[in-house]
Short mmCIF file of all heavy atoms in Angstrom, two decimals:
data_model
loop_
_atom_site.label_atom_id
_atom_site.label_comp_id
_atom_site.label_asym_id
_atom_site.label_seq_id
_atom_site.Cartn_x
_atom_site.Cartn_y
_atom_site.Cartn_z
N GLY A 52 5.46 37.50 -4.03
CA GLY A 52 5.49 37.71 -2.57
C GLY A 52 4.42 36.96 -1.80
O GLY A 52 4.19 37.19 -0.63
N LYS A 53 3.69 35.99 -2.51
CA LYS A 53 2.64 35.28 -1.89
C LYS A 53 3.09 33.87 -1.51
O LYS A 53 4.05 33.37 -2.05
CB LYS A 53 1.39 35.21 -2.84
CG LYS A 53 0.89 36.62 -3.11
CD LYS A 53 -0.40 36.54 -4.02
CE LYS A 53 -0.91 37.96 -4.17
NZ LYS A 53 -2.20 37.94 -4.76
N ALA A 54 2.36 33.24 -0.62
CA ALA A 54 2.67 31.90 -0.24
C ALA A 54 2.51 30.93 -1.33
O ALA A 54 1.63 31.09 -2.30
CB ALA A 54 1.70 31.45 0.91
N GLN A 55 3.41 29.88 -1.36
CA GLN A 55 3.31 28.81 -2.37
C GLN A 55 3.76 27.55 -1.74
O GLN A 55 4.47 27.54 -0.64
CB GLN A 55 4.12 29.19 -3.59
CG GLN A 55 5.61 29.34 -3.37
CD GLN A 55 6.40 29.88 -4.54
OE1 GLN A 55 5.76 30.39 -5.48
NE2 GLN A 55 7.67 29.68 -4.56
N ILE A 56 3.57 26.42 -2.42
CA ILE A 56 3.97 25.14 -1.96
C ILE A 56 5.47 24.96 -2.39
O ILE A 56 5.81 25.39 -3.50
CB ILE A 56 3.21 23.97 -2.67
CG1 ILE A 56 1.67 24.16 -2.40
CG2 ILE A 56 3.66 22.61 -2.22
CD1 ILE A 56 1.21 24.07 -1.02
N VAL A 57 6.29 24.43 -1.49
CA VAL A 57 7.67 24.22 -1.78
C VAL A 57 7.78 23.31 -3.03
O VAL A 57 6.99 22.33 -3.12
CB VAL A 57 8.42 23.54 -0.58
CG1 VAL A 57 9.77 23.07 -0.89
CG2 VAL A 57 8.37 24.50 0.60
N SER A 58 8.75 23.61 -3.90
CA SER A 58 8.73 22.91 -5.23
C SER A 58 8.71 21.40 -5.19
O SER A 58 8.09 20.77 -6.03
CB SER A 58 9.89 23.39 -6.04
OG SER A 58 11.13 23.10 -5.39
N LYS A 59 9.38 20.72 -4.23
CA LYS A 59 9.46 19.31 -4.26
C LYS A 59 8.10 18.66 -4.08
O LYS A 59 7.94 17.46 -4.32
CB LYS A 59 10.50 18.80 -3.28
CG LYS A 59 10.08 18.90 -1.87
CD LYS A 59 11.26 18.22 -1.01
CE LYS A 59 10.99 18.39 0.51
NZ LYS A 59 12.08 17.76 1.25
N TRP A 60 7.10 19.38 -3.44
CA TRP A 60 5.80 18.76 -3.25
C TRP A 60 4.73 19.19 -4.23
O TRP A 60 3.57 18.76 -4.19
CB TRP A 60 5.24 19.14 -1.79
CG TRP A 60 6.18 18.84 -0.73
CD1 TRP A 60 6.63 19.71 0.20
CD2 TRP A 60 6.73 17.55 -0.28
NE1 TRP A 60 7.43 19.11 1.15
CE2 TRP A 60 7.52 17.76 0.83
CE3 TRP A 60 6.66 16.31 -0.93
CZ2 TRP A 60 8.21 16.71 1.43
CZ3 TRP A 60 7.33 15.23 -0.31
CH2 TRP A 60 8.09 15.48 0.89
N ARG A 61 5.08 20.04 -5.19
CA ARG A 61 4.12 20.52 -6.15
C ARG A 61 3.52 19.49 -7.03
O ARG A 61 4.21 18.60 -7.46
CB ARG A 61 4.65 21.69 -6.99
CG ARG A 61 4.95 22.95 -6.16
CD ARG A 61 5.51 24.06 -6.98
NE ARG A 61 5.99 25.09 -6.20
CZ ARG A 61 6.87 26.04 -6.58
NH1 ARG A 61 7.22 26.06 -7.85
NH2 ARG A 61 7.30 26.90 -5.73
N VAL A 62 2.23 19.73 -7.42
CA VAL A 62 1.57 18.87 -8.42
C VAL A 62 1.65 19.65 -9.73
O VAL A 62 1.29 20.77 -9.87
CB VAL A 62 0.04 18.65 -8.05
CG1 VAL A 62 -0.65 17.95 -9.14
CG2 VAL A 62 0.02 17.86 -6.69
N ASP A 63 2.29 18.97 -10.73
CA ASP A 63 2.46 19.59 -12.04
C ASP A 63 3.08 20.93 -12.02
O ASP A 63 2.68 21.87 -12.76
CB ASP A 63 1.08 19.66 -12.80
CG ASP A 63 0.49 18.30 -12.95
OD1 ASP A 63 1.20 17.33 -13.20
OD2 ASP A 63 -0.78 18.21 -12.95
N ASP A 64 4.03 21.11 -11.08
CA ASP A 64 4.73 22.41 -10.95
C ASP A 64 3.83 23.59 -10.66
O ASP A 64 4.18 24.74 -11.00
CB ASP A 64 5.66 22.67 -12.22
CG ASP A 64 6.82 23.61 -11.83
OD1 ASP A 64 7.28 23.47 -10.70
OD2 ASP A 64 7.18 24.36 -12.71
N ASN A 65 2.70 23.31 -10.13
CA ASN A 65 1.69 24.38 -9.72
C ASN A 65 2.06 24.86 -8.32
O ASN A 65 1.96 24.05 -7.38
CB ASN A 65 0.34 23.78 -9.82
CG ASN A 65 -0.74 24.76 -9.35
OD1 ASN A 65 -0.45 25.85 -8.93
ND2 ASN A 65 -2.00 24.29 -9.37
N PRO A 66 2.46 26.09 -8.14
CA PRO A 66 2.82 26.58 -6.83
C PRO A 66 1.70 26.62 -5.82
O PRO A 66 1.93 26.75 -4.61
CB PRO A 66 3.34 28.00 -7.02
CG PRO A 66 2.68 28.40 -8.37
CD PRO A 66 2.56 27.14 -9.17
N ALA A 67 0.46 26.49 -6.32
CA ALA A 67 -0.71 26.55 -5.43
C ALA A 67 -1.26 25.18 -5.00
O ALA A 67 -2.17 25.04 -4.17
CB ALA A 67 -1.86 27.27 -6.09
N GLU A 68 -0.64 24.11 -5.44
CA GLU A 68 -1.16 22.73 -5.09
C GLU A 68 0.08 21.74 -4.86
O GLU A 68 0.98 21.80 -5.59
CB GLU A 68 -2.07 22.19 -6.19
CG GLU A 68 -2.66 20.87 -5.76
CD GLU A 68 -3.65 20.35 -6.76
OE1 GLU A 68 -3.93 21.04 -7.76
OE2 GLU A 68 -4.19 19.27 -6.59
N GLY A 69 -0.13 21.00 -3.89
CA GLY A 69 0.96 19.94 -3.61
C GLY A 69 0.36 18.69 -2.94
O GLY A 69 -0.77 18.67 -2.44
N LEU A 70 1.19 17.68 -3.02
CA LEU A 70 0.90 16.39 -2.37
C LEU A 70 2.08 16.20 -1.37
O LEU A 70 3.23 16.02 -1.84
CB LEU A 70 0.86 15.26 -3.30
CG LEU A 70 -0.41 14.92 -3.96
CD1 LEU A 70 -0.31 13.75 -4.95
CD2 LEU A 70 -1.56 14.61 -2.95
N VAL A 71 1.78 16.12 -0.13
CA VAL A 71 2.86 16.07 0.92
C VAL A 71 2.64 14.72 1.69
O VAL A 71 1.55 14.21 1.79
CB VAL A 71 2.82 17.29 1.83
CG1 VAL A 71 3.06 18.53 1.04
CG2 VAL A 71 1.65 17.38 2.73
N PRO A 72 3.69 14.20 2.33
CA PRO A 72 3.60 13.03 3.12
C PRO A 72 2.70 13.23 4.35
O PRO A 72 2.60 14.33 4.85
CB PRO A 72 5.09 12.73 3.59
CG PRO A 72 5.93 13.59 2.72
CD PRO A 72 5.10 14.73 2.23
N ALA A 73 2.06 12.14 4.70
CA ALA A 73 1.09 12.24 5.80
C ALA A 73 1.76 12.72 7.14
O ALA A 73 1.06 13.31 7.97
CB ALA A 73 0.45 10.89 6.03
N ASP A 74 3.01 12.47 7.32
CA ASP A 74 3.68 12.95 8.54
C ASP A 74 3.77 14.47 8.69
O ASP A 74 4.14 14.99 9.70
CB ASP A 74 5.02 12.21 8.77
CG ASP A 74 6.04 12.52 7.72
OD1 ASP A 74 5.68 13.20 6.69
OD2 ASP A 74 7.16 12.00 7.84
N LEU A 75 3.46 15.22 7.59
CA LEU A 75 3.44 16.61 7.58
C LEU A 75 2.02 17.22 7.85
O LEU A 75 1.80 18.45 7.87
CB LEU A 75 3.97 17.21 6.32
CG LEU A 75 5.53 17.02 6.10
CD1 LEU A 75 5.93 17.50 4.71
CD2 LEU A 75 6.29 17.75 7.20
N LYS A 76 1.06 16.29 8.11
CA LYS A 76 -0.28 16.74 8.29
C LYS A 76 -0.48 17.71 9.41
O LYS A 76 -1.16 18.80 9.29
CB LYS A 76 -1.23 15.54 8.50
CG LYS A 76 -2.66 15.98 8.74
CD LYS A 76 -3.62 14.76 8.96
CE LYS A 76 -5.04 15.26 9.13
NZ LYS A 76 -5.95 14.17 9.44
N ASP A 77 0.16 17.48 10.60
CA ASP A 77 -0.03 18.44 11.72
C ASP A 77 0.51 19.82 11.42
O ASP A 77 -0.12 20.78 11.77
CB ASP A 77 0.69 17.85 12.93
CG ASP A 77 -0.01 16.63 13.58
OD1 ASP A 77 -1.17 16.36 13.13
OD2 ASP A 77 0.58 15.94 14.38
N CYS A 78 1.60 19.79 10.75
CA CYS A 78 2.24 21.10 10.24
C CYS A 78 1.31 21.87 9.34
O CYS A 78 1.11 23.03 9.51
CB CYS A 78 3.61 20.70 9.67
SG CYS A 78 4.36 21.74 8.57
N VAL A 79 0.78 21.11 8.32
CA VAL A 79 -0.13 21.79 7.38
C VAL A 79 -1.42 22.21 8.07
O VAL A 79 -1.95 23.32 7.87
CB VAL A 79 -0.48 20.72 6.22
CG1 VAL A 79 -1.67 21.27 5.40
CG2 VAL A 79 0.70 20.45 5.41
N ALA A 80 -1.95 21.39 9.03
CA ALA A 80 -3.17 21.76 9.80
C ALA A 80 -2.91 23.00 10.58
O ALA A 80 -3.78 23.94 10.60
CB ALA A 80 -3.60 20.65 10.66
#
Side-chain angles (χ1 to χ4, degrees):
K53 296 184 178 190
Q55 63 186 18
I56 305 295
V57 173
S58 62
K59 72 177 177 179
W60 305 126
R61 289 181 193 163
V62 173
D63 299 327
D64 204 35
N65 176 356
E68 183 176 356
L70 272 179
V71 304
D74 61 358
L75 290 173
K76 181 181 179 182
D77 289 346
C78 158
V79 169

